[in-house]
Amino acid sequence: MSGWEKSAVTLAVLLPTAGTFVIALVPKSMDRLVRWLGVLFTGAALGIGVAILFGFHYGAHPGLQFEANASWISTIHARYHVGLDGISLPLFELTLLLSFLCAVYTIRFLPAPGRPKGFLGLMLLLETGMAGTFVSFDLVLFFIFWELVLVPMYFLIGIWGSANREYAAIKFFLYTLFGSVFMLLGFLALFFKSNPHTFDIIQLQQIAATRPIVKSLQVLIFSGLFLGFAIKVPMWPFHTWLPDAHTEAPTVGSVLLASS
């Protein structure tokens, strides 16, 4: 595997975060430059995504593509493991495309109270979180990207939302955080019940095929993971945060909230 194939996914995921830091250094008075920087960094990430599309081997191809797998937090056996398969690829590409279109939208339209530096910076950070969840194949890495989405979305709704924005932002944050606790417990249970201990999703699949967990514990782990995903999706009856969040969020926030 070439260096490009190993680094392409990482570049696409982290470029928006680099854009956040660049925008933070731009003076507040340079409003138009900030907006165009948002377009530049989301466009660069999308450009890498398009290159990945042309380099992806479609059809029968075992394993992950554009994979990077390196030791990360060795004390807890967490790895930096990212890659793409036939399921994650379209979701990853759609995230990059929507983020770019939202950045283009902000060139002309920005909700009150303005503040393009904060708005674009949070939007780029949100893009990293969303894209990262679709390419992570380590549960710790997945959980970090998953939780990263909460913070910028909370502020996008709470600052740039409509009249009842504070209530909607807090409700969104607390609901999804509540579900994430059960998800994390499920991840920890998978780690401690795997032999050898691992958070790597591919290894967990291989272990489950030969040494499955007892059924009663499988049900408990599934329940925790289901609750976390059901709240985030959201599914009935865990959906009550969604109408408030979508109603109060700015247009860009509502689009990205739906995609996340």
Side-chain angles (χ1 to χ4, degrees), residues 4 8 11-16 18-19 36-52 92 96 99-100 103 124 127:
W4 157 251
L11 284 172
V13 170
L14 296 184
L15 258 179
W36 279 106
L37 282 173
V39 174
L40 174 65
F41 279 96
T42 55
L46 178 61
I48 295 173
V50 171
I52 289 173
F92 178 68
L96 300 180
S99 299
F100 173 70
L124 290 171
E127 180 181 2

Side-chain angles (χ1 to χ4, degrees), residues 54-136:
F54 283 100
F56 195 85
H57 299 288
Y58 301 91
H61 189 284
L64 299 175
Q65 299 181 47
F66 291 91
E67 183 180 14
N69 190 356
S71 179
W72 182 33
I73 310 176
S74 57
T75 53
I76 61 171
H77 306 281
R79 301 184 64 81
Y80 180 79
H81 190 185
V82 297
L84 290 166
D85 57 19
I87 297 176
S88 60
L89 177 66
L91 299 172
F92 178 68
E93 298 290 346
L94 182 60
T95 298
L96 300 180
L97 176 61
L98 283 177
S99 299
F100 173 70
L101 293 177
C102 286
V104 171
Y105 177 84
T106 61
I107 293 175
R108 295 189 59 187
F109 303 99
L110 197 68
R115 304 179 187 174
K117 283 186 64 174
F119 190 89
L120 269 299
L122 290 169
M123 194 192 81
L124 290 171
L125 194 60
L126 180 63
E127 180 181 2
T128 289
M130 292 189 300
T133 57
F134 294 126
V135 299
S136 299

